[in-house]
């Protein structure tokens, strides 16, 4: 269902068609239109059966980097059990939430899904522990940033097509991938205050030079939907995984007022419900409350600032797809609870310290003896100058799954490669 105009309603804008049924598709004027995409770096004939953004989504799903997410850590390392989230299952949950938000807001669901599916492609093995270790190893060679690594993957490292390196995604997908957390610079090229001590990654600088991504603007609305879907997904599923592991208990959730209220609702409606079902109800209600808040707040921001085109949303001074102030505070309290109880739990940290050591040792080994690299990586790395060799090794390690990194460590180092 299309909605090409917005009609007045008692002095306020009616932002959704009045007769829209729950879940029914409609296209808002502020949605990104694939028919007027800014195109691809390498020009291609359009697909006769798919939009530009559907084609981007399909290329991501068929990429090698996407498949590897199956064996990359989210919070719990693989040996902890089969039921914890991996980077892939997390990504699929983000994609589902992003599509739900996009449909409610009248956005292009395919672009929102594309960006959700691509947002973690650049993550290292062992989650943020691997990223910290690779960042230390690369500190003298330009550093490491998983968002920049995602861009390297989709513009350079994937080699599936005869006519170009990477996936040759549309401008809108690349822009959203790079800027989904907000502008990277201001109009004068200066970093935001919060990022002032972090240089803009060279990968982004180099690519932006040949295919400008307007790094000073907000991301498009679909990218903003994918970014906030990521926040919703990991807050909900990390609670679920923490409860499943026993590191967090249901009574401890009472310390967070937002969760306390959800638990009270569950107990009122379902007295005597077993803990396993309570856990699932908590996760489901977290997602529902946060998604519904984002939808209402985003409509309010669109209406208040008259943001009736995707360009207006890009050029607005703050995010448009966002939590209300009250819900933002709830999300902050959730993070404040999870950080010491789960992410910095001694059981988790013991494994992650070992994982960091494995990544650092692999990097040092390959830098000193590049002949240890597989043939397809050796041909370039061995002959390259030191900074380029380090980057090549970083690309290799960042692409590893947890399992592959452990197997490589066992092969190279006596007594290494076993966690606990």
């Amino acid at each position: 269902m299309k909605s090409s105009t917005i009609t007045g309603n008692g002095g306020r804008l009616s932002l959704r068609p009045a007769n829209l049924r729950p879940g029914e598709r409609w296209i808002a004027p502020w949605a990104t239109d694939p028919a007027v995409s800014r195109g691809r770096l390498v020009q291609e004939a359009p697909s006769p059966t798919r939009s530009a953004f559907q084609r981007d989504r399909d290329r991501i799903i068929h990429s090698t980097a996407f498949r590897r997410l199956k064996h990359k850590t989210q919070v719990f390392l693989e040996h902890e059990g089969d039921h914890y989230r991996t980077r892939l299952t997390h990504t699929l949950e983000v994609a589902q939430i992003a599509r739900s938000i996009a449909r409610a807001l009248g956005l292009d669901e395919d672009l929102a899904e594309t960006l959700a599916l691509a947002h973690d492609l650049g993550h290292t093995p062992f989650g943020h522990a691997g990223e910290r270790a690779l960042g230390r190893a690369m500190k003298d060679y330009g550093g490491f940033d998983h968002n920049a690594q995602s861009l390297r993957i989709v513009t350079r490292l994937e080699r599936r097509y005869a006519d170009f390196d990477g996936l040759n995604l549309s401008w809108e997908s690349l822009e959203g991938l790079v800027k989904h957390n907000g502008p990277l610079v201001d109009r004068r090229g200066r970093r935001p205050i919060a990022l002032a001590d972090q240089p803009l990654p060279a990968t982004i600088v180099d690519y932006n030079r040949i295919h400008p991504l307007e790094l000073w603007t907000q991301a498009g609305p679909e990218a903003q939907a994918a970014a906030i879907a990521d926040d919703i997904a990991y807050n909900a599923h990390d609670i679920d995984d923490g409860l499943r592991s026993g590191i967090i208990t249901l009574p401890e959730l009472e310390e967070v007022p937002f969760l306390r209220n959800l638990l009270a609702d569950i107990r009122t409606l379902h007295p005597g419900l077993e803990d396993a079902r309570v856990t699932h109800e908590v996760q489901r209600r977290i997602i529902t409350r946060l998604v519904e808040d984002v939808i209402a707040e985003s409509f309010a921001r669109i209406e208040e600032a008259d943001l009736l085109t995707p360009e207006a949303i890009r050029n607005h001074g703050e995010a448009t797809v966002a939590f209300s102030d009250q819900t933002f505070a709830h999300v902050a309290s959730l993070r404040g609870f999870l950080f010491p109880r789960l992410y910095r739990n001694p059981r988790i940290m013991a494994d992650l310290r070992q994982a960091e050591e494995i990544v650092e040792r692999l990097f040092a080994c390959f830098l000193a003896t590049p002949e240890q690299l597989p043939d397809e990586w050796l041909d370039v790395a061995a002959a390259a100058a030191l900074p380029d060799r380090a980057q090549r090794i970083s690309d290799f390690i960042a692409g590893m799954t947890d399992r592959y990194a452990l197997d490589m460590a066992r092969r190279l180092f006596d007594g290494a490669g076993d966690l606990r």
Side-chain angles (χ1 to χ4, degrees):
M1 177 181 294
K2 282 206 176 266
S3 175
S4 58
T5 61
I6 299 179
T7 58
N9 180 19
R12 295 174 61 81
L13 296 176
S14 177
L15 298 181
R16 277 171 65 100
N19 61 344
L20 196 68
R21 294 188 296 272
E24 187 175 357
R25 293 192 184 200
W26 66 295
I27 304 299
W30 52 82
T32 305
D33 184 353
V36 293
S37 167
R38 301 194 199 184
R40 306 174 189 275
L41 179 63
V42 179
Q43 186 173 353
E44 298 181 63
S47 168
T49 59
R50 295 172 294 167
S51 76
F53 305 147
Q54 289 171 332
R55 203 175 190 183
D56 287 353
R57 176 201 59 208
D58 296 349
R59 288 181 176 186
I60 288 164
I61 289 173
H62 288 283
S63 70
T64 302
F66 185 78
R67 290 196 301 277
R68 287 176 180 153
L69 297 177
K70 177 182 178 183
H71 295 294
K72 291 195 177 192
T73 293
Q74 180 64 26
V75 173
F76 290 90
L77 296 174
E78 187 175 40
H79 72 272
E80 292 276 4
D82 295 335
H83 294 283
Y84 299 114
R85 268 74 174 185
T86 65
R87 196 61 69 174
L88 177 61
T89 56
H90 160 71
T91 293
L92 295 176
E93 292 181 23
V94 174
Q96 178 270 315
I97 294 170
R99 286 194 73 104
S100 295
I101 293 170
R103 180 168 295 203
L105 295 177
L107 303 176
D108 187 284
E109 291 181 44
D110 297 312
L111 179 55
E113 182 181 26
T114 294
L115 293 163
L117 293 172
H119 84 282
D120 270 354
L121 290 179
H123 266 291
T124 63
F126 312 121
H128 290 291
E131 182 172 10
R132 288 192 297 271
L134 202 50
R136 288 193 295 270
M138 284 288 291
K139 69 180 185 301
D140 296 328
Y141 309 106
F144 179 85
D145 176 89
H146 76 265
N147 286 325
Q149 190 67 18
S150 295
L151 182 66
R152 286 182 66 80
I153 287 168
V154 301
T155 61
R156 188 179 304 184
L157 297 180
E158 284 285 334
R159 298 187 176 181
R160 310 179 61 83
Y161 299 93
D163 295 328
F164 47 79
D165 289 338
L167 304 180
N168 199 34
L169 302 180
S170 65
W171 184 92
E172 291 78 8
S173 291
L174 293 173
E175 180 244 9
L177 183 63
V178 168
K179 298 189 308 189
H180 63 272
N181 290 325
L184 299 182
V185 295
D186 64 15
R187 280 275 188 177
R188 298 171 64 181
R190 297 172 302 189
R191 294 284 267 162
I193 293 174
L195 301 173
D197 61 339
Q198 302 173 35
L200 191 63
T203 292
I204 297 175
V205 172
D206 293 344
Y207 189 82
N208 187 67
R209 190 176 292 122
I210 61 172
H211 195 194
L213 298 176
E214 298 180 0
L215 302 180
W216 61 88
T217 69
Q218 298 287 338
E222 289 81 5
Q224 294 185 32
I228 206 160
D230 184 27
D231 288 347
I232 293 169
Y234 76 69
N235 277 290
H237 68 50
D238 288 355
I239 289 284
D240 184 40
D241 281 352
L243 289 168
R244 182 185 296 274
S245 71
I247 290 175
I248 298 171
T249 66
L250 280 171
E252 288 177 317
L253 301 188
E254 300 276 358
E255 298 174 21
V256 183
F258 175 59
L259 299 180
R260 186 189 311 139
N261 292 337
L262 296 184
L263 287 167
D265 289 344
I266 294 167
R267 288 171 182 142
T268 298
L269 292 170
H270 307 285
L273 190 66
E274 64 266 33
D275 285 354
R277 290 180 188 260
V278 171
T279 296
H280 292 305
E281 282 292 314
V282 168
Q283 183 196 9
R284 183 173 69 84
R285 287 164 187 263
I286 290 172
I287 294 171
T288 299
R289 295 283 181 90
L290 297 185
V291 166
E292 290 177 352
D293 178 84
V294 166
I295 293 166
E297 178 66 16
S298 301
F299 275 130
R301 293 186 180 204
I302 290 168
E303 180 176 6
E304 181 179 359
D306 207 24
L307 304 175
L308 303 185
T309 67
E311 289 309 309
I313 288 175
R314 280 193 177 91
N315 289 299
H316 193 48
E318 62 180 1
T320 300
V321 183
F323 295 121
S324 66
D325 289 344
Q326 181 181 39
T327 297
F328 183 84
H330 289 326
V331 172
S333 71
L334 273 176
R335 290 173 180 154
F337 173 80
L338 286 169
F339 195 85
R341 298 299 181 87
L342 184 63
Y343 307 139
R344 288 294 178 263
N345 179 273
R347 168 179 153 189
I348 300 292
M349 291 302 296
D351 277 351
L352 295 184
R353 279 191 292 270
Q354 290 179 266
E356 290 186 42
E357 181 181 353
I358 287 170
V359 170
E360 290 181 312
R361 291 186 69 185
L362 287 173
F363 184 91
C365 174
F366 294 136
L367 194 65
T369 55
E371 61 271 17
Q372 302 277 10
L373 289 164
D375 290 345
E376 63 270 27
W377 292 88
L378 174 62
D379 56 351
V380 175
L386 187 57
D388 292 336
R389 184 191 308 168
Q391 182 61 67
R392 185 75 169 158
I393 291 166
S394 174
D395 290 339
F396 176 50
I397 293 175
M400 291 179 177
T401 63
D402 295 12
R403 180 183 301 173
Y404 186 85
L406 290 170
D407 287 346
M408 183 68 74
R410 291 186 189 105
R411 183 172 70 82
L412 293 173
F413 314 126
D414 291 339
D418 291 313
L419 294 175
R420 286 202 280 131

